[in-house]
Amino acid sequence: MKLLRVGEPGAERPAIVDSDGKYRDLSSVVADIDGAALSSEILANIAGTDISALPEIASDSRIGACVNGVGKFICIGLNYVDHCEETGAAVPEEPVVFMKATSAITGPNDGVIKPKGSEKLDWEVEMGIVIGRDARYVSEEDAMDYVAGFCVVHDVSERNFQLERGGQWDKGKGCDTFGPIGPFLVTRDEVKNPLDLNIWLNVNGKEFQNSSTKNMVFGPAKLVSYLSQFMSLQAGDIISTGTPPGVGLGQKPPVYLNEGDEVHLGIEGLGEQRQKVLPCPY
């Protein structure tokens, strides 16, 4: 199933994509697409619903973040071998973990704000794992049982804030609008092999990233199991699994986003995002 949230910010309704690609209102079935809706029982109830009988939603409606009320937005750095090479970093022996502020989350086609003082605004297309139920100390063999589905994440980054201002990476990762997610939460049953999906990103029509999730250092099962050793994972949490090569920082010379630039990104089977870089309104 492809689940989504449609409507203006703060007034999104849960929805599902039908067999003809139309959006159908799920409000009569679930209150929202959030942690409470991601249990296997609720997802089975949605799957058993006569989708064709649900009200249709206009296809040009705004799409919000595909999950509401995200508790933790966990990110993995340097998780593609060739991305490590382009940044001059060693391939990690264990996953590199950092957190992205949940206040950064936006809809997949909302604008990306260039923060005040930003000098090196960068792009990173990533596959997101959406947790479906509480996970603590789970084995790698059982890890996928705790996954509700997958989504596209744009891990927008400000490299000056991240790498040149001291401290940890988080302050270059958590600015407002730095976490577009969606358009869809694609349930696990519909993603036959999350380690064999094309992943790509263009800026102003020019291709910069084009790879496959098969090039990950640590796959979804390893990441879920690994993280559950250090923190409980809860329904609705998102794990952003790292980006392939082609980021602005890795260009020679580096290339960064400016106001007015347009970014188009996507992952095979999970959908696409489009954002325009906007001036800071604050």
Side-chain angles (χ1 to χ4, degrees):
M1 297 181 291
K2 289 184 172 69
L3 306 176
L4 67 160
R5 301 173 62 251
V6 179
E8 294 306 306
E12 294 94 343
R13 291 174 288 168
I16 189 169
V17 181
D18 70 14
S19 58
D20 295 321
K22 297 177 181 178
Y23 302 159
R24 299 284 183 167
D25 191 335
L26 271 178
S27 299
S28 63
V29 184
V30 290
D32 204 348
I33 305 300
D34 56 11
L38 298 180
S39 69
S40 56
E41 294 79 12
I42 299 297
L43 291 178
N45 186 45
I46 294 172
T49 300
D50 181 3
I51 302 302
S52 64
L54 299 177
E56 186 177 341
I57 299 174
S59 60
D60 60 352
S61 300
R62 173 189 174 269
I63 299 175
C66 60
V67 182
N68 192 29
V70 175
K72 292 190 288 297
F73 198 170
I74 308 165
C75 296
I76 307 299
L78 303 172
N79 198 32
Y80 284 72
V81 175
D82 34 10
H83 178 51
C84 296
E85 294 171 351
E86 76 169 345
T87 59
V91 176
E93 295 183 5
E94 295 191 33
V96 175
V97 181
F98 61 96
M99 307 292 280
K100 204 171 180 79
T102 56
S103 54
I105 293 173
T106 61
N109 303 316
D110 294 340
V112 168
I113 294 172
K114 186 174 185 181
K116 290 181 178 179
S118 172
E119 300 174 358
K120 299 179 179 180
L121 187 64
D122 206 348
W123 57 82
E124 298 188 39
V125 58
E126 308 197 1
M127 182 178 72
I129 301 168
V130 183
I131 298 298
R133 62 188 178 103
D134 290 2
R136 297 177 181 86
Y137 299 105
V138 302
S139 68
E140 191 169 342
E141 292 72 24
D142 294 335
M144 296 308 291
D145 293 339
Y146 295 82
V147 173
F150 302 89
C151 66
V152 180
V153 175
H154 189 182
D155 177 19
V156 184
S157 306
E158 213 298 333
R159 302 301 188 188
N160 175 258
F161 297 176
Q162 176 191 358
L163 302 172
E164 301 173 33
R165 299 282 296 274
Q168 299 181 338
W169 287 2
D170 301 50
K171 61 191 175 187
K173 296 288 190 171
C175 300
D176 289 355
T177 73
F178 273 24
I181 60 172
F184 313 120
L185 187 170
V186 182
T187 52
R188 188 178 77 239
D189 60 294
E190 195 166 317
V191 182
K192 301 306 179 187
N193 185 359
L195 283 174
D196 189 21
L197 304 177
N198 180 240
I199 179 170
W200 54 270
L201 181 146
N202 302 332
V203 179
N204 297 329
K206 179 180 179 180
E207 180 181 281
F208 282 92
Q209 295 186 276
N210 192 343
S211 186
S212 170
T213 56
K214 67 184 178 184
N215 295 322
M216 284 186 183
V217 180
F218 306 105
K222 173 65 176 181
L223 293 175
V224 171
S225 174
Y226 181 85
L227 290 169
S228 77
Q229 312 305 308
F230 303 101
M231 65 189 84
S232 62
L233 300 176
Q234 296 159 334
D237 286 352
I238 292 177
I239 304 167
S240 197
T241 58
T243 198
V247 299
L249 176 66
Q251 305 303 307
K252 301 184 184 303
V255 176
Y256 297 111
L257 294 169
N258 293 300
E259 294 172 16
D261 285 345
E262 296 185 0
V263 187
H264 183 200
L265 58 147
I267 301 176
E268 180 184 356
L270 303 186
E272 302 181 10
Q273 300 184 355
R274 292 180 182 270
Q275 295 115 24
K276 187 172 183 177
V277 179
L278 306 175
C280 183
Y282 311 119

